[in-house]
Amino acid sequence: MTDDIQPSINSPAPVPADGSLMPPENETDQDLSGGVPQSGRKSMNYWQLVWRQFRKNRLAVFGMLLVMTFIGLAIFAPFISNKYPYFWYAEDEGLSFPLLRALSNQDLMLLLGFAMAVLLPVTKRLLDKSEWRFWNMNRFRRALLVNLLIFLVGAGLISLKPEVHRITKQVGPIRMERDFRFELERAADDKDIVALFAPVRYSPSDIYVGERFEEPSLTHPLGTDILGRSGMSRIIYGTRLALFVGFISVGISTMIGLLIGGLSGYFSGWVDLVLQRLVEIFTAFPAIFLLLTIIALWGPKLAVIMVAIGLTSWTGTARLIRANVLQVRTLDYVTAARAMGARTLPIIFKHALPNSIAPVLVSVSFGIAAAVFIESTLSFLGLSDPDYPSWGMLLNQARTVSVEQPVLLVIPGMAIFLAVLAYNLMGEGLRDALDPRMKK
């Protein structure tokens, strides 16, 4: 044997001096699942893998875009449809911004929440550079906590706005009875007034801006309702009602389901027996009769409707969480936490529930679609809050002229259909992305 013998095919490649294993230059070293080179690729966490699987479903992405469109309409509805101009300039008054001054507390809180969601990556990056720690949270949870605290402080300051006006002896931000459109029409021949209005120059509560059940035109693209209110404006603001009812009612039902399902699945025994009988009692009663009973007792107010939907739709979430916790409570990390002396509640809320929450996202998406449909049904039956525009209310009012003007009936129906379809498509996409059997 001589030292100049060439290495065989099966002999290992030479190892560099620093000990790192470098692949040969003529090999691509691809991943078996996706064909992506391993060199230089960062590892992906669970939610990144879910997002990669989710965006492969085109229908789910289409549903998510529709949901984002509805959320955008709900948040920026005052800037799309309003009777107040963006800015108003008159020689005797100067420059003013009536639309910004006329924003309600509800508008300001929605805009603040949107700003906090947009600035979440910025907050996360700023916290990455600091040494601040809180309860051993990861970077995303710390950023979410900071933005939530900022939102709560901002919401508190916004809620104090009426008190500030009362203390300072101010009547309000602007004179609400002032009609800027009428003033601009009277001064059309003059050049001393410059104003910029929203695309739809009407608010949803402005009555008799047109004839009763007026046909669609350039002034009113979707016509008017029984009181001469703009149909386009009420359709836009109806997205806000659908957003509130969907998210708040499902949030209530999810919190109740998490609590009851988590306790039932972790403790089992007599606790599970009692809580499951409670679930069966709520399941035995038809939800629509419970809703009608609650609304009949406390009135058709928006807060009552949201709470009623939340109190009658938590049973499915509770059963789903119970099944997941029953499986998780036998895993090694829960047993290890129990052996280390951790208390029961921290084990439930820190280990069992967070690792059982993923399938609940699918239930939340389907629940929002169901809540939007239930609220539209109640509005169609005349059991909704008359102070808020609703798609079901528009459907009810358009029944009498559906033959002469079918657009007044088709547009609200299409809005309900698209909202329910969007949440269902997104829910199906989440279900496929969270299911390991659907991953290639």
Side-chain angles (χ1 to χ4, degrees), residues 104-142:
S104 63
N105 292 348
Q106 186 183 83
D107 301 329
L108 294 175
M109 287 185 182
L110 284 176
L111 292 172
L112 179 62
F114 174 77
M116 293 297 97
V118 172
L119 294 177
L120 184 60
V122 178
T123 307
K124 178 176 174 295
R125 181 164 296 184
L126 292 176
L127 291 176
D128 291 344
K129 300 179 180 179
S130 66
E131 298 297 331
W132 184 72
R133 297 290 183 272
F134 187 76
W135 282 354
N136 295 324
M137 290 184 175
N138 57 25
R139 295 174 295 179
F140 178 77
R141 291 181 180 178
R142 282 186 285 137

Side-chain angles (χ1 to χ4, degrees), residues 277-289:
R277 300 296 80 76
L278 179 64
V279 171
E280 291 174 358
I281 291 173
F282 272 86
T283 307
F285 288 96
I288 187 65
F289 290 116

Side-chain angles (χ1 to χ4, degrees), residues 73-352:
L73 287 176
I75 295 175
F76 298 102
F79 299 94
I80 302 173
S81 174
N82 210 310
K83 63 181 179 180
Y84 298 105
Y86 294 131
F87 67 88
W88 177 272
Y89 176 78
E91 293 182 358
D92 55 342
E93 298 180 12
L95 181 64
S96 61
F97 302 92
L99 178 58
L100 296 179
R101 297 170 59 191
L103 292 176
S104 63
N105 292 348
Q106 186 183 83
D107 301 329
L108 294 175
M109 287 185 182
L110 284 176
L111 292 172
L112 179 62
F114 174 77
M116 293 297 97
V118 172
L119 294 177
L120 184 60
V122 178
T123 307
K124 178 176 174 295
R125 181 164 296 184
L126 292 176
L127 291 176
D128 291 344
K129 300 179 180 179
S130 66
E131 298 297 331
W132 184 72
R133 297 290 183 272
F134 187 76
W135 282 354
N136 295 324
M137 290 184 175
N138 57 25
R139 295 174 295 179
F140 178 77
R141 291 181 180 178
R142 282 186 285 137
L144 189 63
L145 177 63
V146 170
N147 281 27
L148 180 61
L149 293 176
I150 295 175
F151 173 78
L152 293 178
V153 172
L157 295 177
I158 290 172
S159 63
L160 294 176
K161 186 177 67 171
E163 296 296 326
V164 172
H165 288 298
R166 184 181 62 82
I167 294 174
T168 57
K169 309 270 185 189
Q170 295 181 8
V171 177
I174 60 174
R175 290 186 293 120
M176 302 301 292
E177 69 277 3
R178 183 175 181 181
D179 193 345
F180 290 93
R181 297 188 305 264
F182 180 70
E183 294 183 18
L184 185 63
E185 291 174 357
R186 291 186 58 186
D189 298 334
D190 301 332
K191 296 184 179 179
D192 56 347
I193 294 180
V194 180
L196 178 63
F197 283 85
V200 181
R201 297 188 178 188
Y202 306 99
S203 297
S205 59
D206 295 343
I207 61 175
Y208 300 117
V209 297
E211 298 293 334
R212 180 176 176 268
F213 288 125
E214 184 177 330
E215 295 183 358
S217 60
L218 293 178
T219 305
H220 304 288
L222 299 181
T224 57
D225 64 356
I226 192 172
L227 295 178
R229 295 172 293 193
S230 174
M232 175 68 81
S233 178
R234 295 182 70 80
I235 286 289
I236 293 173
Y237 278 83
T239 59
R240 175 171 291 186
L241 181 65
L243 179 72
F244 284 163
V245 172
F247 280 86
I248 295 179
S249 61
V250 172
I252 294 173
S253 65
T254 302
M255 294 299 296
I256 298 175
L258 285 174
L259 179 61
I260 293 181
L263 295 177
S264 178
Y266 185 81
F267 288 106
S268 66
W270 67 269
V271 176
D272 184 27
L273 182 65
V274 172
L275 293 180
Q276 287 307 302
R277 300 296 80 76
L278 179 64
V279 171
E280 291 174 358
I281 291 173
F282 272 86
T283 307
F285 288 96
I288 187 65
F289 290 116
L290 288 176
L291 286 172
L292 294 178
T293 303
I294 294 174
I295 294 174
L297 292 176
W298 285 278
K301 298 297 182 182
L302 180 60
V304 174
I305 293 173
M306 292 187 296
V307 172
I309 295 175
L311 292 177
T312 56
S313 59
W314 56 269
T315 55
T317 304
R319 287 180 171 178
L320 180 62
I321 287 294
R322 173 182 175 273
N324 293 332
V325 173
L326 282 174
Q327 181 181 5
V328 168
R329 66 191 292 265
T330 60
L331 297 181
D332 293 340
Y333 60 88
V334 176
T335 305
R338 194 183 299 114
M340 292 175 64
R343 296 182 178 178
T344 302
L345 290 181
I347 292 176
I348 295 175
F349 292 102
K350 192 175 180 180
H351 298 286

Side-chain angles (χ1 to χ4, degrees), residues 413-431:
M414 286 296 298
I416 298 172
F417 168 75
L418 289 177
V420 175
L421 177 66
Y423 287 113
N424 282 331
L425 289 177
M426 193 171 67
E428 290 180 358
L430 281 173
R431 181 190 60 193

